[in-house]
Amino acid sequence: MSEYTTVFGSLERYEKGRVEIINDQARHYAFSNIFEVASQAQPYEKIAVAKNLEYVVEVLRAEGRSDWFTAAHDEFAVVMDGHLELHLVKLGDPASVVSPDTQGSVRLPGAPVGKNMGWMKLGRGHQALLPAGAAYQFLAEQPCVILLQTLKGPLTVEKWADICAG
Amino acid sequence: MSSTKASAPDTKTGYKRFELGQFSFSRDEYFVTVRWPARETQLSHTLPVDAFLRALVRDVAWGFFYGWVNFDAVLGTRNRYGQVELYAGRYNDSYHDSGLDYVETFETPEILATFKAMLADWTNAGFDPFAAPAETGTTVFGKKNGSNTAAIERNRETCRRMPGLPGDASLRSDTNGYPVNRAFADVEQDEPEIHAEPGFENEVHAFNLFKYLSRSDVTWNPSVVSVCRNSLFCPTTEEHILPVIHGNDRVEWFIQVSDQITWQVSDKETGHPRARVVMKPGDVAAMPADIRHQGFSPKRAMLLVWENATSGLPEKYDSGELSPYPIEL
């Protein structure tokens, strides 16, 4: 029995903190909670919860099988709740799918054309590389929460007023 | 070639006294005293030696970090990336408005050499300034008593792409000296299940980030675990008080991974309180580019600090080209 209990959040159990304003405005802190965001999201909607110029951190509610995505740059996924599979395909001609100067991830119109790279089974706390030029697909039997380190792209959803309320 | 100006060891305490430009630093059994010229006189300021060394070791390990590293409300450094400003009272409006503040700029190697020499001389055996207070001894106090070189020569652990990839930073395990911290003994140590096809073993990659963090041997010292161009995921484990008050020269973001941290946010220029941010697991908060902040963590917590390492950002925020607030709400 550990002397300490480490508290993580989940879709089922999270408690949002707060901003106590002294001499400022709460909106400057863009305060949200990833589990609250995921609990109200559509499957695989890529909702920005943090933005720093062209870069974003997105929250995805993984549920069922996703479309195939790819990016011209590395992306990184951290599983914050649940378990999922991540499948990877090395695109035969990545530039035909996403030009090298494209920022963020794009959705493939169908199944990727290329070599099967393999797959991973990820659980809470696991961080995976989504390599540039590879297509990836998530499969989650139960709802799960992904934090995605990427750039703002055509699929990024920004709804700050909604997620920062309350 | 940088040179460090240090006195002979004090005959009573055994500690050296250091000079850096017009600043001088001395320590006794409990306190550090800093002196600087102000108008036609000289002012002094006192800090507890344990707090001073905890701030100093991080300023050194971080290479003076992004922006301002306030040791307390009076003393600190500002990174000019190649040069470093050392200041007393500059960002404290009582000193500044009275004209009693002092700033001196040093080439980075010069101030770094002096800070390292101070750390080496003033850190006694048995005291680890990176550890939580409950984890290290009280030998920081008293007369000079040995040294702790291994503790003070740690650097930030950074990866090029992601730890565990060939040629990149190592993962943490019992065998390479990273046992699970006492406060994270209940954190699962499982690994991702990886099925890489032949030829893709180096690209189909994942690791247990929470396990990695549970084995951190330092507090308030972010490492880098993923690099997406200039976007850096810098997770860290936090216990007790952030030993510096970090003043932002760009926007950064905090994502609370486990447990709770409360942030005291103040104005970067004056130090006047602006907000308290209470963060619980899953919470996300921006730290604007015009604030300074200090965290309080009652139980060792996992925090994901997200940084933008794009060069030239401080100038753009300083000039007003960029808003200090990342989101228009």
Side-chain angles (χ1 to χ4, degrees), chain B residues 18-140:
Chain B
F18 293 87
E19 291 182 7
L20 183 59
Q22 297 299 305
F23 283 94
S24 75
F25 296 81
S26 59
R27 79 153 282 186
D28 54 35
E29 294 196 29
Y30 286 109
F31 301 107
V32 169
T33 301
V34 185
R35 295 177 176 83
W36 67 92
R39 292 190 189 149
E40 290 81 35
T41 184
Q42 189 175 61
L43 287 182
S44 62
H45 179 62
T46 301
L47 302 89
V49 66
D50 54 336
F52 178 85
L53 291 175
R54 288 187 176 106
L56 186 66
V57 77
R58 287 167 177 80
D59 211 8
V60 167
W62 299 343
F64 302 98
F65 209 41
Y66 299 116
W68 289 256
V69 173
N70 295 286
F71 285 39
D72 65 2
V74 175
L75 183 74
T77 60
R78 180 181 185 182
N79 197 348
R80 292 293 199 175
Y81 305 97
Q83 294 183 318
V84 177
E85 292 174 1
L86 176 63
Y87 54 81
R90 170 60 186 86
Y91 301 97
N92 178 307
D93 55 0
S94 291
Y95 284 90
H96 186 55
D97 294 349
S98 305
L100 296 172
D101 56 325
Y102 181 69
V103 183
E104 193 167 342
T105 303
F106 301 95
E107 297 299 316
T108 299
E110 182 184 7
I111 185 171
L112 189 62
T114 301
F115 276 16
K116 282 184 171 180
M118 253 191 290
L119 259 180
D121 190 62
W122 293 358
T123 305
N124 288 331
F127 178 69
D128 180 352
F130 271 122
E135 296 180 310
T136 192
T138 56
T139 54
V140 63

Side-chain angles (χ1 to χ4, degrees), chain A residues 6-7 15 17-18 20 22-24 29 32-34 51-52 55 74 90 117 119 121 125 127 149, chain B residues 161 186 193 195 197 203 205 207 209 226 230-231 251 253 259 274 276 278 280 282-284 286 299:
Chain A
T6 302
V7 179
E15 183 185 356
R18 64 192 181 278
E20 299 172 0
I22 300 165
N23 185 17
D24 206 339
Y29 300 89
S32 68
N33 180 286
I34 62 173
K51 182 181 177 185
N52 202 327
Y55 298 103
D74 285 348
K90 189 77 168 180
M117 299 172 71
W119 65 282
K121 195 169 185 178
Q127 182 175 15
Q149 180 188 12
Chain B
R161 194 180 187 194
D186 60 342
E193 203 180 295
H195 303 270
E197 294 295 326
E203 288 188 89
H205 179 67
F207 74 106
L209 173 64
S226 47
N230 285 309
S231 154
V251 171
W253 287 80
D259 306 291
R274 285 174 52 168
R276 275 167 60 84
V278 181
K280 300 187 177 187
D283 285 346
V284 183
K299 184 256 175 195

Side-chain angles (χ1 to χ4, degrees), chain B residues 28 41 66 126 129 140 152 203 214 246 267 271 275 278 292 308 310 312 328:
Chain B
D28 54 35
T41 184
Y66 299 116
V140 63
I152 62 174
E203 288 188 89
S214 74
H246 177 214
D267 187 82
V278 181
R292 64 176 90 171
N308 184 341
T310 302
E328 291 297 326

Side-chain angles (χ1 to χ4, degrees), chain A residues 2 4-9 14-24 27-35 49-57 72-74 76 78-80 88 90 100 102-103 115-122 124-129 131-132 147 149-151 160-161 164, chain B residues 161-162 165 182-187 190-197 200 203-210 225-233 251 253 255 257-259 264-265 273-286 288 299 302 304 306 308 310 313 317 322 325-327 329:
Chain A
S2 171
Y4 297 96
T5 300
T6 302
V7 179
F8 294 102
Y14 66 89
E15 183 185 356
K16 197 173 178 181
R18 64 192 181 278
V19 179
E20 299 172 0
I21 292 300
I22 300 165
N23 185 17
D24 206 339
R27 61 188 174 88
H28 292 160
Y29 300 89
F31 192 85
S32 68
N33 180 286
I34 62 173
F35 302 111
V49 292
K51 182 181 177 185
N52 202 327
L53 304 175
E54 70 266 43
Y55 298 103
V56 290
V57 178
H73 47 78
D74 285 348
F76 299 89
V78 182
V79 178
M80 299 299 289
L88 292 165
K90 189 77 168 180
T102 298
Q103 298 187 337
K115 274 190 170 179
N116 177 26
M117 299 172 71
W119 65 282
M120 295 180 266
K121 195 169 185 178
L122 306 174
R124 187 176 72 182
H126 297 174
Q127 182 175 15
L129 168 66
L147 207 56
Q149 180 188 12
T150 185
L151 278 77
W160 300 102
C164 298
Chain B
R161 194 180 187 194
M162 191 178 188
L165 286 168
R182 79 202 194 291
F184 291 135
D186 60 342
V187 173
D190 64 322
E191 293 290 352
E193 203 180 295
I194 297 177
H195 303 270
E197 294 295 326
F200 293 109
E203 288 188 89
V204 181
H205 179 67
F207 74 106
N208 186 339
L209 173 64
F210 292 2
V225 298
S226 47
V227 179
C228 176
R229 295 189 178 164
N230 285 309
S231 154
L232 308 180
F233 266 11
V251 171
W253 287 80
I255 299 171
V257 174
S258 83
D259 306 291
Q264 179 69 46
V265 180
R274 285 174 52 168
R276 275 167 60 84
V277 182
V278 181
M279 297 192 70
K280 300 187 177 187
D283 285 346
V284 183
K299 184 256 175 195
M302 298 181 184
L304 176 55
W306 180 44
N308 184 341
T310 302
L313 288 181
Y317 285 110
L322 290 174
Y325 313 115
I327 305 300
L329 266 169

